[in-house]
Every structure is written in structure tokens, then in C-alpha cells.
Amino acid sequence: MKQTVVLYPSAGVGHVVPMAELAKVFLGHGFDVTMVIFPLPFKSSALGASQVEQIAAANPSISFHVLPAIAAPDFAGSGKHPFLLMLQMLRQYNDELERFLRSIVPRQRLHSLVIDMFCVDAVEVAAKLGVPAYTFVPSGASPLAVFAQLPALLAGRQTGLKELGDTPLEFLGVPPVPASHLIAEMLVHPEEEMCKTMASIFERGMDTRGVLVNTFESLESRALQALRDPRCVPGKVLPPIYCVGPLVGNGARDGESTERHECLAWLDARPERSVVFLSFGSMGTFSEEQLKEIATGLDKSGQRFLWVVRMPANIDDPKRLLEKECELDLDALLPEGFLERTKDRGLVVKSWAPQVDVLNHPATGAFVTHCGWNSMVEGIMAGVPMLCWPLYAEQKMNKIFMTEDMGIGVEIEGYMTGFIKAEEVEAKIRLVMESDEGTELMTRVVARKKEAEAALEVGGSSYAAFVRFLSDVENLGEQLARSAMDV
């Protein structure tokens, strides 16, 4: 009888999608996989149930188990940040998670529980049942190295890190990181609930039996060396780090319709490496003013483009996560005459495009990205140079790693002001698409693509890391069994 691995992702497409790709790795090694989903009462397309349903439909080989809904906190009326309320819900779901895991444990089929980095409260359930728990980090080793070292940096501070402004902070394993580039939740006063909660998550996430990371060894060797160094977190031995990535879909998923998105047919008619693709993730939105500025920059650049536009919103307002997107009126949002003027060389798509398929299309020559980790590794696997426009979460840190350590992107200047001018959009697009510097960038990204492909092959570093993980789980199981017999 096959053993079952239970995966427990956090909310959000950026967490569920890479977990689904991890599930495929387990399937390839002969395991059954069940992904446990906790329902959230959000209308946002980035966090709502419809997205999970689409992912489940596209991956019929993975079992999806939705926990019974519990009474949800008042996300709309509460004065608390929605993220804190989501963590509260996760703790409340522990009883339902335990009930489900107990249905597997008696039959000796449960191999391990792999939790998202934000699902750390589930470790208590795993310990209660004697199930080995592992953390999955959908981002990379470089941000993980910073997260691991942040609690010690905050300890004893009387003021928040925000007061340091752009002061560079030194972390083992990564380039200097300006304080302003850390995730916003860690910049507030150390005694505020959000900061204390995030610090606790970072610490407890490293208290499992091991950490699976969506990266490959050669991409982040410096950060990985730091995570294995006793100096990383003084007084604490970090668990084994397993680089099992890059975890990227191949575009067309199991069970999906064969019907192609209209934008792919449009790309078919464009020359090789001639189109700039602009997409900012499931939660990436801009003001109407910024959208017009992007459009002006694209217009003046003279380059072909494929642009995914979402409804304008204030990206700093967490309440927007609760809202359902309205229907877009592109003519009203974009400069007058823009769509007509650029119709022969540009295509604007509402809300969503099949990003993996677009990036791997021969016509795509550059990628303007918000620097979300999933998008970054998808860009690497497609061999497409990136223009970095970070928006939220750890994306500003990712921009530093992409431009300074990995050599796979160039910065679009002005993102820290909250507004980027058309002239900068035009200049950086021209740089990547027309200059010698852009050609060199392309060469570096293609080299990274080859490294990534080699890591995933049988015998490659990521393949070997996953095999080592499976061996470690098996050895741990034998140790636990012997301990139980001794008792």
C-alpha cells in the first residue's frame, strides 16, 4: 500500500500553486498526496475558493481535502490586520486537521505532514500524533536566511526598524539589505502584535524536522551555506535544508482544457524574443495614475508588449483582500487612444494570463515582474530576462537578490517612492530589448535556466536533495519506532 503525504498550504495562489508542484514530485516518487485546504471567507480572486477549485481541477492526480468550515472571524469589521485573523483561523482549524490526520494514521499510511511556513500551529497536531512535520518555503533560501536572522536582530530593540530608513543591514549569506526593503510587518515596533507574530512564525518554522525550499543549490549557494552555518542563528541548530526546486508547472496541466488563451495566438504572430510581458502577480495592483504612466512608457518605447492589467487598488490596504474585483474598463483606465494607437504591436489582457505558457513562448523577450518568487523561478526556467518592480511582502529583498546575486534582472528605479515614471519604464524596456547590456542579461538568465534544468534531472542537486529528504524521513520513522518499542 502506498504511503500518503499530507500537504498543508497557506491561503493564496502564491502558496497553493508551488505546493501543488511539490505534490507532483512526491507523486513521481510513488506516494499518494493529499492537499488539505482550509476555507477562507474572502471574495478576492487571489485568495478565494474559485482559485483553489481551478488548481484542483487542473491536478486530478492530487487529492484535495477541504476542511469543514468553522465560524470565521469578522474580517471586514475587525480592527485587526486580515493576516492576523487568518492565523487565528488556522489555529482554530487544528482540531479539524487532527481529525483528518487520524483517519490516515491508524493504517500506518501517513508518511509525513508538510506545512506551509505560515501554518506553524499545525506542528502541534503532528507532534501529538507522532507524525514527522516538515516546513515548505515557497520562496527561496536568500529570504529564508534573512527571516531566520531577523528575530535575533529585533530582540532587545526599543524602536522599530522603519526608523533606520535605507540603512544597510548585514545578514549572513546575502548582500546588504536596506532596512526599508524588509517586509513591512517587520518594520513596526518590536512589541506590536504583527511584528511579534511574524518573528514567532520565522522561529517556529525552523523548528520542524527539516525545511523544503523552492530553489536550487547553484542559484543561492551563498545563502544556503549561511543556513547551514552555526553562526546563522547563534545558540540554535537549524534543521536540514532541502533544495527541491525550481517547482514550476509546464503550462498545460493534467486535466486542463486544450483551448489556448487568446494571448498565445497573438504571440504566435510575433517575431522571436520581440515581446515584453508585463504581469504583477495575483495581488499586484496599481493606481489609475500609475497605469497611465506605464501605458505611456510602453507607447514611447516602441516595443511590442503583452500587458496583464488588474483593477486599480491601494496595495497598502489589507482590506482590499476581502473585496471582489470589479469588471475592468480598459478604455477608461488607460490613456485616450492608447489601445487603438498600439493595437498592431501590443495586447492588453484583463486580470489574468497563462504566465508559464507566455514566458515559455518563443516570442517573449523580457518580463516586467513584481519579483514574487514563483514568477522569478518561472522566468528563470523560461530563460527570460527580468525587469524588477517589487510591490509588497519580501519582493524588495528578492529584487536585491535577483540583481546583485543572481544576475537575472535589472531594477526599474522609483519603486520605493510608490510611483514610477513613464520615462523610466521606457528606458529600462529599451535597455533590456535593444542594448548590449540586455544581451548580456539574456546570456546570464539562459545560463541559470540550464543550471535549473540540470538540478532537476535524475542525479541533479534538487533531485538528490529530495531523495535525501525521503531517506531522512524513513530513518526518522525507524528511530521513532525503536523508541516506541523501548518504552
Side-chain angles (χ1 to χ4, degrees), residues 81-120:
H81 193 290
F83 179 72
L84 293 173
L85 295 175
M86 185 193 77
L87 294 177
Q88 177 185 319
M89 278 193 75
L90 272 169
R91 286 191 291 273
Q92 294 171 338
Y93 270 116
N94 267 6
D95 289 342
E96 293 296 342
L97 176 65
E98 180 182 339
R99 194 171 289 115
F100 173 70
L101 293 179
R102 283 190 182 280
S103 71
I104 303 175
V105 170
R107 288 177 276 172
Q108 302 299 310
R109 294 194 297 114
L110 187 52
H111 174 268
S112 55
L113 172 67
V114 181
I115 62 170
D116 183 271
M117 61 187 295
F118 291 132
C119 297
V120 290

Side-chain angles (χ1 to χ4, degrees), residues 10-24:
S10 176
V13 175
H15 292 260
V16 177
V17 167
M19 194 76 101
E21 294 304 322
L22 177 63
K24 295 176 185 177

Side-chain angles (χ1 to χ4, degrees), residues 4 32 89 123 150 156 210 309 348 350 367 395 426:
T4 297
D32 285 333
M89 278 193 75
V123 173
L150 264 177
V309 173
V348 180
K350 295 181 181 180
F367 180 24
Q395 294 162 13
E426 176 191 358

Side-chain angles (χ1 to χ4, degrees), residues 115-327:
I115 62 170
D116 183 271
M117 61 187 295
F118 291 132
C119 297
V120 290
D121 287 305
V123 173
E124 299 169 11
V125 177
K128 188 175 180 180
L129 300 179
V131 176
Y134 291 80
T135 304
F136 173 63
V137 177
S139 57
S142 299
L144 181 62
V146 174
F147 295 156
Q149 296 171 71
L150 264 177
L153 175 66
L154 289 166
R157 279 192 64 87
Q158 301 303 311
T159 59
L161 295 174
K162 188 174 184 177
E163 297 183 15
L164 298 178
D166 292 331
T167 302
L169 301 176
E170 297 289 340
F171 296 99
L172 199 65
V174 298
V177 177
S180 58
H181 283 51
L182 297 174
I183 59 175
E185 292 80 4
M186 301 302 293
L187 297 179
V188 298
H189 194 281
E191 290 302 313
E192 285 195 25
E193 184 180 10
M194 178 62 84
C195 189
K196 290 172 72 173
T197 299
M198 292 299 293
S200 173
I201 286 173
F202 296 152
E203 287 184 293
R204 291 191 294 152
M206 301 298 275
D207 286 339
T208 56
R209 298 287 184 173
V211 182
L212 301 160
V213 188
N214 185 14
T215 191
F216 55 101
E217 194 81 27
S218 64
L219 183 69
E220 300 184 275
S221 56
R222 185 176 160 199
L224 289 162
Q225 186 177 351
L227 287 164
R228 293 160 182 157
D229 191 318
R231 295 174 298 164
C232 187
V233 183
K236 182 174 182 177
V237 178
L238 298 181
I241 305 294
Y242 307 96
C243 299
V244 297
L247 299 168
V248 174
N250 60 2
R253 298 187 180 95
D254 297 340
E256 267 191 328
S257 167
T258 55
E259 185 178 345
R260 296 176 84 214
H261 192 280
E262 61 173 350
C263 70
L264 299 176
W266 182 86
L267 286 170
D268 289 342
R270 270 68 206 171
E272 187 172 337
R273 298 272 185 195
S274 69
V275 176
V276 179
F277 176 49
L278 300 90
S279 182
F280 300 90
S282 57
M283 291 165 56
T285 58
F286 295 105
S287 67
E288 190 171 336
E289 184 184 14
Q290 182 66 85
L291 288 175
K292 285 182 165 60
E293 205 74 10
I294 294 171
T296 301
L298 286 171
D299 197 354
K300 290 183 175 179
S301 76
Q303 298 294 324
R304 296 179 179 88
F305 63 88
L306 171 58
W307 181 16
V308 181
V309 173
R310 301 180 67 86
M311 178 60 71
N314 176 8
I315 64 172
D316 296 320
D317 179 12
K319 296 292 185 184
R320 71 190 174 88
L321 299 178
L322 312 177
E323 299 168 357
K324 187 175 182 179
E325 277 192 16
C326 301
E327 182 63 29

Side-chain angles (χ1 to χ4, degrees), residues 379-393:
I380 290 174
M381 286 300 286
V384 176
M386 285 168 266
L387 292 88
C388 303
W389 187 332
L391 298 175
Y392 54 87

